[in-house]
Amino acid sequence: MPYRAPVSEFEFIYANIVGLDQVQQTSRFAEADPDTVTAVLTEAGRLCEDVLAPVNRNGDLTPSVLENGALRSAPGYAQAFAAIAEGGWVGVGADPEHGGMGLPLSVATAVGEMMASGCLALQLNPLLTQGNIEALEVHASDDIKALYLPKLNSGEWSGTMNLTEPQAGSDVGALRTKAERNPDGTYAITGQKIFITWGDCDFTENVCHLVLARLPDGGKGTKGISLFMVPRNLPDENGEAGVANALKVVSLEHKLGIHGSPTAVMQYDGATGWLIGQEHDGMKCMFTMMNNARLGVGMQGVGVAEAAYQQALEYAQERKQGRTPVADGSGAIFEHADVRRMLATMKSEIFAARAIGLECALALDMAQATGAENWRARGAFLTPIAKAFGTDVGIRTADTGVQVHGGMGFIEETGAAQYLRDVRITSIYEGTNGIQAMDLVARKMMDGGEMAQTLIDEVEQFAETARASRPRMAEAVWQASETLREATEWMVSQTDLNDRFAGCVPYLAGFARILGAHYHLKAAGAEGGEGPRTRLARFYIRRLLPEHEGLLAHAKAGQGDIYALSAEDLGV
């Protein structure tokens, strides 16, 4: 079915849930007025509907391949990317000084979600380039910025990040790729990197790799790592892509999904690189791009969920099967209670995850615009929730989409299975969802749980105001927030971090559940009466919110029973 961009949903959330007007009132983003935002979302939505969505199936059926050392991308990808580049969408949130649009992350995040709905495998290319741009804007020298940023923003060149090695996945500090100083101030990079998304590209003139490597005097672990720009083609005296650098794509991985996105094994053999930031300070530079990339990946999950939901809804309305309990019904499976339940779950979860992601983006915008620490801390706290919950919702929704299709969902020709296969990676890359949850209960609670309690206070305060008009829903949200407060206090009180880690995933899920209920309650309030948003909020709060009790009980169980199970106990 044709994908329809949910522009009105973004506008509703901006106006009634997160308050985009706060961003628009800052001098940094004053030009992102409501008319501009609507025009940007409408045009981006049209691109995703008319250009990206039609090539989505191509990448699945005719994947990117490596032929004689050269990449060949999926049919239609080059033309679709050209439309992305020509529209300026690669640099949607980048600094105008080097060719970007300079729009708030809140808006760029919505554009990224729609592009992921259209074609996740292709959207990964500009997403990685955007992370590249961000790292260079913050940490690169003026010469590097002047050379690379205009090319990256325009889409003439693309970017990647190179962290993972065969022995160094989540443990980045175990990397072995080495860097040696050259007499001319450049560096020679040698080593192998794996899982490099869009490690090569046949529709951009150059591919710019940000590579983590260790200098001879770099210490052990992450503190001794440096970051380098290592382009596929060395820039010539005119700043154009010149001769080939000493690097190559060894192979492409065979994957469960996102077949159109080439995932490369990269080999560097004394390749020429340029230092980004300071020596031995590479992780700081890399995290600049990773943090916003985590939000972007969370919204990839939401984007795929939206596309899967739209297809499932249309199928359910058209598919006739048996007798239905609806008077004068059409016989469509949409009329069966369980199918209606699945669709309502999909739609309500998408709203919750989208609102969390946009709330996170807005906080990061406000931090950039004002420099205020409370906004920075808020954005940092919400990032792991947005990433993990958004991608979990993407997987659950795509899986439910297959179920709505019944037997036809298991048949590849319907396209329902592709959404599930494609979105499955999102809970793994940019830090697994387990790592996100560990970050939430450890690093993000180094403030003693202050930011967590601030968010809980906001949920309770709004529930108090909603009691007069929607007492049952408001009471349920208020009580859930109190349960979350108790779980948060328990987490903060644990001096052995492993007790926190043993329950961190259900804690994050419970936190997200309650935030989702809060946003649904706000949506019902904004509607001002009995309407579709109120009915959806009622469904979410009555049927999905109660999951928080089991999740938060699990969160407080500690590590004892986990480690009481021996290897023999868990054996076959």
Side-chain angles (χ1 to χ4, degrees):
M1 64 159 284
Y3 163 72
R4 297 181 298 277
V7 173
S8 62
E9 278 294 289
F10 293 119
E11 293 181 322
F12 178 86
I13 292 173
Y14 288 151
N16 300 289
I17 306 300
V18 304
L20 186 63
D21 59 314
Q22 298 172 87
V23 173
Q24 294 165 330
Q25 290 166 10
T26 67
S27 58
R28 172 69 178 81
F29 296 113
E31 294 183 4
D33 58 80
D35 289 343
T36 298
V37 171
T38 295
V40 166
L41 293 180
T42 301
E43 191 60 31
R46 188 175 298 116
L47 169 77
C48 298
E49 293 171 349
D50 299 342
V51 179
L52 299 191
V55 303
N56 188 45
R57 194 70 175 141
N58 295 358
D60 195 52
L61 297 176
T62 311
S64 299
V65 295
L66 196 62
E67 297 178 332
N68 299 319
L71 180 87
R72 176 170 58 78
S73 60
Y77 271 32
Q79 294 80 3
F81 183 82
I84 294 171
E86 289 165 10
W89 300 111
V90 178
V92 62
D95 192 335
E97 180 181 353
H98 297 290
M101 289 190 191
L103 288 169
L105 181 62
S106 305
V107 178
T109 295
V111 173
E113 184 206 302
M114 290 188 287
M115 290 176 66
S117 290
C119 184
L120 176 61
L122 181 57
Q123 186 258 354
L124 278 161
N125 186 295
L127 179 73
L128 268 294
T129 301
Q130 288 159 359
N132 210 291
I133 290 167
E134 187 177 15
L136 296 185
E137 283 183 343
V138 177
H139 299 289
S141 67
D142 289 343
D143 287 345
I144 291 288
K145 290 179 184 178
L147 174 60
Y148 284 89
L149 288 176
K151 301 283 191 182
L152 292 167
N153 279 316
S154 68
E156 295 172 76
W157 295 1
S158 59
T160 76
M161 67 167 97
N162 284 230
L163 291 77
T164 307
E165 300 179 10
Q167 79 295 335
S170 300
D171 182 14
V172 178
L175 67 80
R176 296 173 186 162
T177 298
K178 63 181 182 180
E180 297 179 323
R181 301 176 182 89
N182 292 327
D184 63 358
T186 63
Y187 296 78
I189 311 299
T190 302
Q192 188 176 93
K193 298 287 185 176
I194 63 172
F195 300 159
I196 309 307
T197 301
W198 282 100
D200 198 9
C201 184
D202 60 350
F203 46 73
T204 60
E205 296 172 1
N206 206 353
V207 181
C208 306
H209 301 287
L210 284 178
V211 182
L212 287 177
R214 196 184 308 277
L215 287 159
D217 54 349
K220 294 182 178 180
T222 57
K223 293 182 179 180
I225 296 172
S226 302
L227 182 66
F228 302 90
M229 169 59 72
V230 189
R232 180 187 67 189
N233 295 84
L234 297 171
D236 62 20
E237 63 276 9
N238 299 314
E240 301 299 326
V243 300
N245 205 348
L247 59 89
K248 63 181 179 180
V249 177
V250 176
S251 63
L252 299 181
E253 303 292 357
H254 301 281
K255 300 172 296 186
L256 176 67
I258 54 169
H259 296 150
S261 171
T263 300
V265 176
M266 301 294 303
Q267 181 67 39
Y268 296 87
D269 296 307
T272 301
W274 286 262
L275 181 69
I276 303 300
Q278 302 298 314
E279 290 186 350
H280 318 310
D281 207 17
M283 288 304 295
K284 177 182 177 181
C285 302
M286 187 62 81
F287 268 110
T288 297
M289 63 188 292
M290 284 185 68
N291 284 333
N292 284 2
R294 286 172 172 171
L295 170 59
V297 171
M299 297 308 281
Q300 284 182 333
V302 179
V304 176
E306 177 68 38
Y309 169 70
Q310 289 188 19
Q311 178 167 321
L313 177 62
E314 181 177 74
Y315 182 84
Q317 291 173 323
E318 294 178 350
R319 172 67 167 165
K320 306 290 179 66
Q321 190 75 7
R323 298 177 61 185
T324 60
V326 178
D328 300 320
S330 67
I333 63 172
F334 178 79
E335 295 168 356
H336 287 287
D338 189 56
V339 174
R340 191 76 61 92
R341 175 195 62 80
M342 288 190 285
L343 292 168
T345 299
M346 296 165 83
K347 186 173 180 64
S348 62
E349 289 230 271
I350 290 168
F351 177 84
R354 181 179 285 137
I356 290 171
L358 293 178
E359 180 84 70
C360 179
L362 181 130
L364 295 171
D365 280 332
M366 291 300 293
Q368 182 183 8
T370 67
E373 172 59 23
N374 63 312
W375 283 114
R376 186 209 64 77
R378 186 186 186 92
F381 187 89
L382 287 170
T383 294
I385 300 176
K387 194 276 181 183
F389 186 64
T391 56
D392 283 344
V393 164
I395 294 166
R396 286 198 298 264
T397 301
D399 183 59
T400 304
V402 173
Q403 190 71 20
V404 170
H405 282 76
M408 293 303 295
F410 206 67
I411 305 301
E412 287 288 355
E413 282 75 8
T414 65
Q418 183 187 344
Y419 291 125
L420 179 56
R421 289 187 287 100
D422 283 356
V423 78
R424 188 60 187 83
I425 184 61
T426 60
S427 67
I428 298 173
Y429 60 30
E430 295 303 333
T432 67
N433 286 0
I435 288 175
Q436 304 302 319
M438 291 170 71
D439 175 54
L440 180 68
V441 302
R443 186 184 303 273
K444 301 303 165 56
M445 287 191 175
M446 290 175 66
D447 63 354
E450 182 178 346
M451 181 49 64
Q453 297 290 3
T454 296
L455 290 167
I456 295 168
D457 288 343
E458 292 176 11
V459 173
E460 288 196 356
Q461 289 163 11
F462 185 82
E464 289 283 1
T465 66
R467 285 183 190 274
S469 58
R470 305 177 193 283
R472 290 183 63 186
M473 286 197 289
E475 178 64 19
V477 174
W478 192 92
Q479 291 292 347
S481 67
E482 276 295 290
T483 304
L484 178 59
R485 189 184 300 281
E486 293 170 5
T488 301
E489 292 169 352
W490 184 91
M491 281 287 174
V492 172
S493 70
Q494 304 309 302
T495 55
D496 186 339
L497 284 181
N498 221 28
D499 283 315
R500 300 189 196 185
F501 294 156
C504 62
V505 168
Y507 175 79
L508 185 151
F511 210 122
R513 264 282 169 261
I514 292 164
L515 286 177
H518 170 60
Y519 297 134
H520 271 289
L521 188 61
K522 291 184 75 171
E527 191 171 55
E530 183 70 20
R533 294 191 183 277
T534 299
R535 290 189 287 272
L536 194 66
R538 187 177 297 120
F539 173 88
Y540 185 97
I541 291 170
R542 285 184 176 179
R543 295 174 180 268
L544 302 186
L545 177 59
E547 294 174 0
H548 81 275
E549 294 189 57
L551 290 168
L552 296 179
H554 184 172
K556 297 189 294 180
Q559 63 179 301
D561 55 350
I562 292 177
Y563 285 95
L565 291 164
S566 66
E568 290 76 13
D569 293 337
L570 296 174
V572 177

